[in-house]
Amino acid sequence: MSHTKKNESNISRRVNLVVYKVRAGMDAEFAELLKGHWPALREIDLVTDDPAQIWRGDNIRSKTGGTTWVELYTWKDENSADVAHEAPEVMKIWEPMTPMLEGMDII
């Protein structure tokens, strides 16, 4: 899955807005993983120097009573998202996130 698809105007997408829909009871564990997400991407030079912006809120439409987290960051270049999928430093964060989520949107 690439996060750098071309949009209809043929402009590369480097800005990544991710909406995580976290299951009830998983908020604290998820927060710890998310806290290390941008630093892991930065450590291997996949994102710009601008730190990720993160917001959290209660998800009133959650099927499980979970929360919603939103993360905004910018990939360093058009290949960064693909490289991240191969990086053990990143996968050690992404893989345990999956079972904590009801869903995730990448905008």
Side-chain angles (χ1 to χ4, degrees):
M1 159 177 48
S2 175
H3 303 269
T4 56
K5 284 173 41 178
K6 302 279 184 184
N7 65 22
E8 290 184 14
S9 65
N10 206 31
I11 297 173
S12 160
R13 289 187 53 189
R14 289 181 40 226
V15 174
N16 216 33
L17 180 71
V18 186
V19 180
Y20 304 98
K21 299 166 188 167
V22 180
R23 296 179 187 280
M26 304 303 289
D27 199 61
E29 285 181 73
F30 181 82
E32 281 302 308
L33 283 174
L34 190 58
K35 185 171 32 171
H37 185 226
W38 183 86
L41 295 170
R42 185 70 200 122
E43 181 179 317
I44 55 176
D45 204 31
L46 296 179
V47 292
T48 63
D49 291 335
D50 299 324
Q53 296 178 50
I54 298 173
W55 299 270
R56 180 202 171 278
D58 293 326
N59 185 347
I60 63 173
R61 294 204 169 128
S62 169
K63 295 174 186 163
T64 68
T67 56
T68 295
W69 290 78
V70 177
E71 181 184 33
L72 176 67
Y73 58 92
T74 304
W75 293 114
K76 187 135 190 185
D77 62 43
E78 294 178 5
N79 298 314
S80 294
D82 293 328
V83 172
H85 281 86
E86 303 298 323
E89 302 90 338
V90 178
M91 295 311 296
K92 76 177 184 183
I93 293 170
W94 286 356
E95 286 176 353
M97 275 186 177
T98 301
M100 296 180 185
L101 302 175
E102 289 180 17
M104 178 177 72
D105 296 315
I106 302 172
I107 303 168

